[in-house]
């Protein structure tokens, strides 16, 4: 983290705009590096914007920033499609006047009516989830804004840019002390009972679990691939004492947000989901993730 921050600070001091990727495994503390980079921008009279791919993630980052900077004078704004009416108008005014040096938001940050007083740093979380033009739109909100992208799973285009383009890389290759190492086990389908038992034990101990499937519903071509909708039912039968939730891409945004919020609040103990959950939401109480048909998933 310190090495990454040092490299970012050096870039921010240079006369050329920064274009840097902060890469690090889940739990390596990329967010903390980003927060401190935003503070550097604010300390130098600039504004910093933090763009996340989903509302629930933006809200989580907003609360984190507010908590970490509670003793500072910096005002942190939240800008998502959920912020409407007078609240939104007031937030836009504070950004335009420079009264709010820090803002966290979703794609809402790149809307035309969003103007900054002096944007100096644009942080893009889960960088692989945004298009090139979207990232460029945010950068253009400032005159020569520095850009910091963050990801745990860089896509091939990003890797090509780091090799041949103008993208510098900082790697956070150590975890902060006290992080429990992650154990990955591969089980054949015949060991399903063992897996159920493991999830049941964790739930009984007051913990939570994710179960990830590749598809929402059965399709004719992939009959062997269990569909999340049906499997949620199976998990409900297998673990009658647990509250099982279902999350997939076909749910409307408010429904998704509600399910994720219920899981984060501990009201749902087992969350059966498709890849829509790949954008990380911190649920420290979730200790197991079961991935069905792991061969059908990419690295991310």
């Amino acid at each position: 983290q310190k090495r990454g921050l040092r490299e970012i600070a050096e870039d921010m001091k240079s006369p050329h705009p920064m274009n840097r990727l902060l890469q690090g495994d889940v739990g390596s503390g990329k967010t903390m590096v980003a927060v401190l980079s935003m503070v550097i921008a604010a300390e130098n009279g600039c504004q910093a914007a933090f763009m996340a791919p989903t509302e629930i993630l933006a809200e989580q980052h907003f609360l984190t920033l507010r908590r970490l900077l509670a003793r500072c004078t910096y005002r942190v704004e939240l800008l998502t499609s959920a912020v409407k009416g007078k609240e939104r108008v007031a937030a836009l005014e504070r950004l335009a006047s420079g009264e709010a040096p820090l803002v966290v938001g979703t794609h809402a940050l790149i809307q035309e009516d969003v103007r900054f007083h002096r944007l100096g740093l644009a942080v893009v979380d889960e960088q692989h989830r945004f298009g090139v033009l979207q990232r460029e739109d945010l950068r253009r909100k400032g005159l020569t804004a520095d850009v910091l992208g963050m990801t745990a799973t860089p896509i091939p285009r990003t890797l090509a840019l780091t090799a041949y383009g103008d993208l510098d890389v900082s790697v956070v290759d150590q975890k902060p002390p006290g992080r429990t190492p992650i154990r990955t086990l591969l089980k054949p389908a015949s060991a399903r009972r063992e897996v159920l038992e493991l999830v049941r034990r964790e739930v009984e101990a007051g913990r939570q679990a994710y179960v990830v499937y590749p598809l929402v519903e059965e399709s004719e071509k992939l009959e062997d691939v269990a569909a999340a909708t049906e499997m949620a039912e199976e998990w409900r039968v297998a673990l009658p004492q647990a509250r099982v939730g279902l999350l997939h891409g076909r749910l409307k945004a408010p429904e998704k947000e509600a399910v994720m919020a219920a899981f984060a609040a501990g009201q749902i103990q087992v969350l059966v989901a498709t890849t829509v959950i790949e954008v990380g939401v911190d649920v420290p109480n979730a200790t197991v993730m079961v991935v069905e048909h792991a061969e059908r998933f990419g690295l991310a």
Side-chain angles (χ1 to χ4, degrees), residues 231-242:
M231 292 314 290
E233 225 21 77
E234 283 192 25
W235 279 89
R236 285 189 185 107
V237 173
L239 300 174
Q241 75 280 36

Side-chain angles (χ1 to χ4, degrees), residues 211-219 222 224-229 231 247-250 272-276 290-298:
V211 183
V212 189
Y213 288 96
L215 285 179
V216 184
E217 285 158 16
E218 288 284 14
S219 76
L222 301 163
D224 59 326
V225 179
T229 321
M231 292 314 290
L247 185 69
H248 53 73
R250 292 195 197 160
V272 176
T274 57
T275 46
V276 291
V290 179
V291 181
E292 287 266 2
H293 293 283
E295 77 283 353
R296 294 189 42 80
F297 290 92

Side-chain angles (χ1 to χ4, degrees), residues 3-295:
R3 185 183 60 218
L5 190 62
R6 198 177 310 123
E7 290 166 352
I8 290 163
E10 285 299 320
D11 274 2
M12 288 172 83
K13 277 196 309 197
S14 93
H16 309 289
M18 168 174 79
N19 190 18
R20 186 169 281 279
L21 177 74
L22 182 65
Q23 189 196 329
D25 206 356
V26 174
S28 58
K30 298 186 291 296
T31 307
M32 196 66 219
V33 176
V35 171
L36 292 171
S37 306
M38 291 171 78
V39 169
I40 292 174
E43 288 279 312
N44 286 277
C46 290
Q47 288 170 296
F50 189 113
M51 186 160 74
T54 64
E55 279 187 25
I56 195 149
L57 195 57
E59 275 171 34
Q60 197 166 33
H61 283 313
F62 167 69
L63 294 172
T64 303
L65 247 81
R66 226 175 41 179
R67 190 184 76 242
L68 291 171
L69 303 176
R71 292 161 74 180
C72 303
T73 52
Y74 301 128
R75 186 187 180 106
V76 186
E77 290 292 342
L78 175 66
L79 207 58
T80 67
S81 57
V83 179
K84 293 186 174 84
K86 287 181 186 168
E87 206 183 332
R88 182 182 162 82
V89 172
L92 292 179
E93 280 173 6
R94 285 191 291 267
L95 284 176
S97 68
E99 188 192 329
L102 308 176
V103 61
V104 179
T106 53
H107 300 76
L109 288 172
I110 54 179
Q111 302 295 322
E112 273 184 31
D113 60 345
V114 178
R115 289 187 176 78
F116 289 91
H117 176 64
R118 191 181 173 203
L119 181 65
L121 174 67
V123 180
V124 184
D125 190 25
E126 303 286 352
Q127 174 260 4
H128 59 280
R129 294 294 301 268
F130 289 97
V132 179
L133 295 176
Q134 289 174 322
R135 300 198 295 265
E136 188 57 24
D137 281 346
L138 182 60
R139 191 182 67 81
R140 284 208 189 110
K141 297 270 183 190
L143 277 172
T144 52
D146 291 320
V147 178
L148 177 65
M150 301 200 294
T151 182
T153 48
I155 54 174
R157 183 184 184 283
T158 306
L159 294 173
L161 272 176
T162 61
Y164 305 111
D166 55 350
L167 185 62
D168 299 307
V169 190
S170 292
V171 181
V172 184
D173 51 9
Q174 295 162 313
K175 297 269 176 89
R179 295 279 159 108
T180 324
I182 296 168
R183 284 176 60 225
T184 305
L185 310 170
L186 186 63
K187 297 277 186 192
S190 55
R192 181 169 295 277
R193 189 163 285 148
E194 275 178 59
V195 177
L196 270 171
E197 216 27 66
L198 171 69
V199 174
R200 180 181 285 120
R201 280 201 308 273
E202 290 296 316
V203 168
E204 281 172 359
R207 300 294 190 180
Q208 289 162 279
Y210 287 101
V211 183
V212 189
Y213 288 96
L215 285 179
V216 184
E217 285 158 16
E218 288 284 14
S219 76
E220 288 168 19
K221 288 180 189 165
L222 301 163
E223 281 155 16
D224 59 326
V225 179
T229 321
E230 287 177 23
M231 292 314 290
E233 225 21 77
E234 283 192 25
W235 279 89
R236 285 189 185 107
V237 173
L239 300 174
Q241 75 280 36
R243 292 182 298 282
V244 178
L246 174 63
L247 185 69
H248 53 73
R250 292 195 197 160
L251 291 176
K252 292 192 171 73
E255 294 173 316
K256 277 188 212 163
E257 305 283 329
V259 174
M260 271 319 291
F263 187 63
Q267 294 155 2
I268 291 174
Q269 289 158 307
V270 177
L271 182 62
V272 176
T274 57
T275 46
V276 291
I277 55 134
E278 71 143 332
V279 174
V281 171
D282 287 339
V283 184
N285 194 40
T287 49
V288 193
M289 180 176 281
V290 179
V291 181
E292 287 266 2
H293 293 283
E295 77 283 353

